[in-house]
Amino acid sequence: MLVLLPPSEGKASSGRGAPLKLESLSLPALQESRAAVLDELVELCAADEDKARDVLGLSEGLRGEVAKNTELRTAGARPAGEIYTGVLYDALELASLDAAAKRRAARSLLVFSGLWGAVRVTDRIPSYRCSMGVKLPGLGALGTHWRTPMADALPEVAGSGLVLDLRSAAYAAAWKPKGEVAGRTATVRVLHAPTRKVVSHFNKATKGRIVRSLLSAGVGPKGPAELVEALRDLGYVVEVEPPKKAGAAWALDVLVDEVH
C-alpha cells in the first residue's frame, strides 16, 4: 500500500540536527528537480524579501518564513514526519505509533511537497515554506515543474498494490495515476453525514485517523475494494461507487457524524 499525503502549512522548527543532504532523500530520481527548486527558492528569499513574500503568498506577519528559507542548506534537518504538524498529522500521531506501525509508515507514506516533490516520513528535511501552488519567477508553476519527473518516478514507487490518495487538489496536480495504477487508486472524501458537506478541519483530521487506523491494525489492502472492506471493519462508514470504466480511480466517501 502506498499512501499519498499533502504536507501541512504549519511546520515544526528545523531543530539542531545535521543539515540537509539532498542526495540522501528517497526517490533519488527527483534530485535534479529538487536542487533546481531549492536553488531558486534560496536565491529569491535572500535577494528580495518583499518579492519573495509576494511570490510565496505570505502575509506581513509571516516575513520570518522568508528568512527561514534563506537558511535551508544550513538549518538542522529532522524527519519529515516530525516537521509536518498540521491537522492531518496531529490526528495521525506518528510518534505514538508502536514499532511495527512506524515501520509500516516508513514504507507506505509519501508526502508531496512544492519544494521536495515527494518525501518519505523518515527523510530528514529542514522546516521550509513553499507550497505546490507557488509560481517561481524562473521555474514557473511548481505543479507543472514536478509533473514530468513525478510521471517518471512514481509508477515504480507505487508498485503493484493499492494507492490511497489523500492529497488536496494542488498536490494531486503534480502526479495523477494513470492506466493500470489508476485502476488500483482510491481517493477519499470525508463528509459530515447530516449535511453531506466537506468541512476542511475534520476532513483532514479524519484522513489522519484513517491512516493511523490502517497502520495500527497492520492492514494492507491489495486494492480499492479491499480498502472499503478494511475501513468498514475498522468502524468507518464508507460509501463507494466503483468506477464505470477500467483504469479509473475509485472514489470513496467516509461519513462522519460529528465535526471535531
Side-chain angles (χ1 to χ4, degrees), residues 149-228:
M150 289 287 195
D152 292 339
L154 266 293
E156 181 178 352
V157 177
S160 58
L162 169 73
V163 177
L164 176 53
D165 190 352
L166 302 179
R167 297 172 297 167
S168 54
Y171 292 90
W175 180 62
K176 295 183 179 180
K178 295 182 178 180
E180 181 267 336
V181 179
R184 48 188 167 83
T185 296
T187 62
V188 172
R189 184 174 62 163
V190 181
L191 300 180
H192 182 218
T195 63
R196 311 292 294 190
K197 292 181 179 179
V198 174
V199 181
S200 179
H201 179 89
F202 87 98
N203 172 56
K204 295 175 182 177
T206 302
K207 287 179 177 178
R209 293 187 192 105
I210 285 171
V211 177
R212 182 180 177 86
S213 296
L214 293 170
L215 295 173
S216 297
V219 178
K222 301 297 183 183
E226 292 89 342
L227 173 65
V228 173

Side-chain angles (χ1 to χ4, degrees), residues 47-165:
D48 188 331
E49 183 181 272
D50 289 332
K51 181 179 179 180
R53 193 162 56 83
D54 183 59
V55 168
L56 296 174
L58 301 177
S59 66
E60 175 69 30
L62 292 174
R63 279 184 176 272
E65 298 293 287
V66 175
K68 181 166 68 176
N69 280 349
T70 67
E71 300 173 351
L72 287 172
R73 293 193 185 91
T74 57
R78 298 168 61 182
E82 297 178 10
I83 289 290
Y84 297 117
T85 59
V87 173
L88 187 154
Y89 294 90
D90 285 346
L92 176 52
E93 291 187 276
L94 280 170
S96 67
L97 291 171
D98 63 36
K102 284 179 179 177
R103 289 193 294 271
R104 288 189 282 271
R107 293 193 303 267
S108 62
L109 304 188
L110 195 65
V111 184
F112 276 63
S113 162
L115 174 52
W116 315 114
V119 292
R120 301 284 189 184
V121 292
T122 51
D123 284 329
R124 298 180 64 84
I125 59 173
S127 186
Y128 67 96
R129 191 66 171 246
C130 184
S131 71
M132 190 66 79
V134 164
K135 184 175 182 180
L136 291 174
L139 290 175
L142 291 179
T144 303
H145 169 76
W146 285 113
R147 210 162 286 160
T148 296
M150 289 287 195
D152 292 339
L154 266 293
E156 181 178 352
V157 177
S160 58
L162 169 73
V163 177
L164 176 53
D165 190 352

